[in-house]
Amino acid sequence: MTLHIVLATSAEDPAITASDRLYAEALERRGCCVTGAPWDGPREAFAGADAVVLRSTWGYFRALDAFKAWTEAMAASTRLFNSLDLVRWNLRKDYVEKLAAAGVRVPKSFVVPCEGPAIGRVFDETGWAQAVVKPASGASGHSVELLQRATLYGQVAGLADEARQAGVVVQEFLPEIAEGELSLVYFDGAFSHAIRKRPPPGEFRTNSRYKPTRTAEALPRDVAQQGADCLATLPERPLYARVDGVVRDGTLIVIEVEVLEPALAMDFDPPSAERFAEATMKRLA
């Protein structure tokens, strides 16, 4: 029987990405029928699917209620990857606090309302001169800013609506980011490959919209294992995951864990698409 697998995209960019096309082709070599369809498009595109894989559902955070309803509908009618429990876990960045409680090294972080006094108290308690602020529900670097203590209230007044609605994570600034953020990719808990994303001069954000320089990275085995250990603290083992962070004195500091719609940079390691496809087939067996 031919399995029909739908890669969920978004209406703003409905095409399957170049990286995910490698994955789709690897699935097709295993006899699957693979299509792409936007999560916020017609539901008929997902009817009868044997599995739906969340891949580039960008912009979901601007319509959280609709996205939650859609993922619940998908989980009720087919296999959803990653699972609904993992989606819920990843929707709010307060999961960083859960990682810290489980012993994962993360930047010092505070989840507070998007209000000047609340954020100011974080600066007062920590003595920070600057800190990264990001919406508690967000993606792709949208509304991520570097706040300065001296100009805090003016900067907070300029933050985007999604930050005001969701609250914010105020996070320790990591100077190692100047050398690039590491993205570690895992399939079914096993390390696959990594890239380093170096921000352009004068920038600290490494999301694609800020035009970082991306290169394949050969990781020390113990750093790759630290990423796997981080994933072992999640509610369940994800089919696919990306762990973002920096290394300080041999220790991985985890900035974010992405199990919802992470870019997986398979074009930097084409054999990784085979590993992803093989892990998917094992889940569907």
Side-chain angles (χ1 to χ4, degrees):
M1 181 181 70
T2 300
L3 295 177
H4 179 202
I5 299 176
V6 182
L7 307 188
T9 63
S10 66
E12 66 182 68
D13 198 354
I16 295 174
T17 67
S19 171
D20 288 336
R21 174 49 60 190
L22 296 175
Y23 170 52
E25 291 169 354
L27 288 171
E28 289 166 350
R29 284 192 288 273
R30 287 162 173 78
C32 299
C33 171
V34 182
T35 57
W39 74 270
D40 46 353
R43 289 278 182 93
E44 292 78 10
F46 300 92
D50 295 290
V52 171
V53 185
L54 301 170
R55 291 309 311 122
S56 52
T57 55
W58 299 322
Y60 71 86
F61 55 91
R62 298 192 189 94
L64 270 179
D65 288 343
F67 184 71
K68 290 176 183 177
W70 178 82
T71 55
E72 289 168 2
M74 292 299 105
S77 61
T78 186
R79 298 288 301 276
L80 180 68
F81 296 112
N82 279 312
S83 74
L84 186 60
D85 284 346
L86 285 172
V87 169
R88 289 170 172 165
W89 180 89
N90 213 193
L91 275 174
R92 281 187 59 82
K93 296 187 187 300
D94 54 9
Y95 68 76
V96 174
E97 297 177 328
K98 299 171 186 176
L99 294 177
V104 177
R105 179 78 181 274
V106 298
K108 194 167 186 178
S109 305
F110 302 83
V111 182
V112 299
C114 185
E115 301 167 355
I119 297 173
R121 283 192 290 272
V122 172
F123 277 82
D124 292 340
E125 292 172 12
T126 60
W128 291 339
Q130 59 183 359
V132 176
V133 65
K134 58 186 72 174
S137 293
S140 304
H142 289 282
S143 303
V144 176
E145 302 290 344
L146 185 61
L147 298 186
Q148 306 294 330
R149 184 67 181 93
T151 55
L152 171 66
Y153 281 83
Q155 286 185 279
V156 171
L159 293 177
D161 288 344
E162 55 252 37
R164 304 191 182 288
Q165 294 164 3
V168 292
V169 179
V170 183
Q171 203 164 63
E172 169 192 3
F173 176 74
L174 303 174
E176 290 87 351
I177 205 71
E179 297 302 318
E181 181 181 67
L182 293 172
S183 287
L184 289 61
V185 177
Y186 297 80
F187 299 123
D188 208 17
F191 175 70
S192 172
H193 60 287
I195 65 169
R196 184 182 292 271
K197 300 177 290 185
R198 290 180 173 86
E203 182 56 73
F204 74 98
R205 291 163 289 200
T206 61
N207 308 87
S208 59
R209 61 201 296 251
Y210 298 103
K211 310 299 184 186
T213 299
R214 302 194 300 163
T215 55
E217 183 82 5
L219 280 188
R221 185 175 299 179
D222 60 336
V223 173
Q225 184 59 51
Q226 289 173 49
D229 292 343
C230 168
L231 293 179
T233 71
L234 272 58
E236 62 186 75
R237 187 170 66 237
L239 170 61
Y240 55 93
R242 197 187 74 217
V243 179
D244 294 338
V246 299
V247 174
R248 179 183 296 169
D249 298 328
T251 298
L252 179 66
I253 304 176
V254 176
I255 298 172
E256 291 193 351
V257 173
E258 297 288 350
V259 295
L260 204 166
E261 36 77 280
L264 297 174
M266 289 177 283
D267 44 337
F268 282 81
D269 189 312
S272 65
E274 300 293 337
R275 296 190 285 272
F276 190 7
E278 193 60 30
T280 303
M281 298 304 290
K282 287 180 180 178
R283 292 285 186 107
L284 294 174

